[in-house]
Amino acid sequence: MNIAQIIKGHERDLGGGFVVRRFLPAAIKQAVGPFIFFDHFGPIDVAPDADHDVRPHPHIGLATVTYLFEGAMEHRDSLGTLQRIEPGAINWMTAGRGIVHSERTPKDLKGTPHRTHGLQLWAALPKAHEEDEPGFCHTGAEEIPSKTIEGAEVRVMIGTAFGMTSPVQTYSETLYIDVKLRAGQGLALTGLPQEAAIYPVSGTIEIDGAPVALQTMALLDTATSQRVQATSDAQFVIIGGEPLDGHRYLFWNFVSSSKERLKQAADDWEAQRFPKVPHETEFIPLPKKPSGL
């Protein structure tokens, strides 16, 4: 399982000085397994007067996957869900035919200095499930299976690996693992799905002796097994799964196998036909549509 390619990613300012590093979709690889979107934010020291709230916005054709290392978020959606998101939990929101949600700083953290750090991923839904009913599933940190393997702290957030299976339900083969290693420790990887990638969150690691720099994603050739070695205390995630069943089109917060469906979603948002989020009144205008949409 040698390194097939390296994705370097790029920075995006989401507003209010909230900068993320985006690795998927990339020019060389649209998705890794079902994961078509991968953002890493933080670690950030949040000033008391900072406004990093994400106002209500829509999604179709995907599932959002939120995972925090530090901080907290308050999730609200058009299903009426109100959920505090904290480190170690997995929050899977199925957009399906359409959902609207917001992510805001909890009231107890507003006006106080705090830190935030996490990963925001999108899993494109298989074509047969793109128009499913929307839903939200919170899996607490204590429900995520974990064990120590060769000294490595391994958490299987989604999927099955190392003899553990996450309770998070998905629509296709999906893998999402969080690993912590002490300097000098290593972990052998075998039996990964057809598509897989490693992303270092902190510290320095090598894959079969090849260094993987921070702020890069290593796409793996999963035909053979290999070993990840930490040259300092390190943390990394593994993502992957069954390849997508065809190309996906993306515009703003919409994902679909059909360009016409993206246009419909854009028109529906402009006409305010999406469901409302209870207790939310703000509206984000639709960005300028690309040509051909």
Side-chain angles (χ1 to χ4, degrees), residues 49-238:
D49 59 348
D51 182 7
H52 292 168
D53 284 2
V54 180
R55 296 175 292 163
H57 58 283
H59 291 288
I60 67 162
L62 58 88
T64 63
V65 186
T66 307
Y67 186 67
L68 295 180
F69 302 111
E70 297 179 83
M73 294 179 181
E74 184 177 271
H75 166 97
R76 290 182 183 269
D77 62 41
S78 51
L79 301 174
T81 308
L82 172 60
Q83 177 66 55
R84 184 183 178 99
I85 298 174
E86 295 185 317
I90 281 288
N91 295 271
W92 176 288
M93 184 185 75
T94 300
R97 60 179 174 76
I99 198 169
V100 181
H101 76 129
S102 63
E103 293 169 320
R104 297 187 181 273
T105 303
K107 289 182 180 179
D108 60 294
L109 294 182
K110 282 188 175 292
T112 63
H114 61 278
R115 284 170 64 83
T116 187
H117 184 201
L119 300 172
Q120 181 69 63
L121 280 64
W122 295 353
L125 298 176
K127 291 177 183 178
H129 295 283
E130 286 184 312
E131 297 298 321
D132 277 12
E133 289 292 313
F136 180 83
C137 180
H138 170 83
T139 304
E142 70 283 356
E143 301 174 74
I144 301 296
S146 64
K147 67 169 65 169
T148 300
I149 303 169
E150 301 180 53
E153 297 176 33
V154 179
R155 307 183 78 234
V156 179
M157 284 121 52
I158 299 175
T160 297
F162 299 105
M164 298 179 283
T165 298
S166 167
V168 177
Q169 298 296 305
T170 63
Y171 294 85
S172 63
E173 183 189 16
T174 306
L175 187 65
Y176 192 11
I177 303 174
D178 181 7
V179 180
K180 290 181 180 178
L181 289 172
R182 294 288 188 183
Q185 291 180 333
L187 181 67
L189 302 180
T190 59
L192 291 181
Q194 184 176 343
E195 294 189 346
I198 287 179
Y199 178 75
V201 175
S202 62
T204 55
I205 62 172
E206 295 178 347
I207 300 176
D208 282 348
V212 180
L214 285 173
Q215 301 185 21
T216 66
M217 176 180 286
L219 303 178
L220 304 177
D221 176 358
T222 60
T224 59
S225 62
Q226 72 178 139
R227 187 172 182 84
V228 180
Q229 193 80 20
T231 53
S232 71
D233 289 356
Q235 184 172 12
F236 63 92
V237 296
I238 305 169

Side-chain angles (χ1 to χ4, degrees), residues 11-29:
E11 290 190 345
R12 292 288 299 271
D13 191 333
L14 301 186
F18 188 52
V19 177
V20 302
R21 293 174 293 282
R22 183 161 300 167
F23 296 87
L24 295 173
I28 62 172
K29 186 71 172 170

